[in-house]
Amino acid sequence: MNHLKFRASSVTLAISCSFAIVFLTGCSKADLVPVTECKAVVSHAKRVLGDKAPSSSQMLKQCKAASDEARGCVMAADKPMKLLDCDF
């Protein structure tokens, strides 16, 4: 019986650690994206924003002026509200 308790505790601990790792990774900063990837950044932002997206030329200008971190933030965003967190 003790063997089962130990095993159940080990499984619970492993699952808890996995969730903690996923949570911490999900909240970390996005990868840096160089200015050479602006076309991909703009394309992604347009998909996320849909018909609310500004013009491609305006977004491309913003992208080129943004930091690598801000471009990474945009690429990591999967919802319009998440884009608001980006300094783009």
Side-chain angles (χ1 to χ4, degrees):
M1 187 70 167
N2 282 341
H3 184 296
L4 289 176
K5 279 186 177 179
F6 177 73
R7 195 166 195 197
S9 296
S10 296
V11 170
T12 302
L13 179 62
I15 290 172
S16 297
C17 288
S18 296
F19 281 128
I21 290 169
V22 168
F23 177 74
L24 291 173
T25 303
C27 294
S28 66
K29 292 188 177 195
D31 292 337
L32 300 179
V33 176
V35 71
T36 57
E37 296 296 317
C38 273
K39 284 186 180 181
V41 173
V42 169
S43 178
H44 176 73
K46 285 183 112 17
R47 275 193 303 274
V48 171
L49 293 172
D51 61 350
K52 305 281 190 236
S55 70
S56 293
S57 61
Q58 182 182 359
M59 290 178 73
L60 192 58
K61 185 177 178 181
Q62 285 178 307
C63 182
K64 289 179 178 180
S67 67
D68 290 353
E69 185 177 49
R71 285 186 289 273
C73 178
V74 170
M75 290 301 282
D78 60 353
K79 295 179 181 173
M81 289 300 288
K82 289 184 180 180
L83 284 173
L84 293 176
D85 292 335
C86 303
D87 186 27
F88 190 68

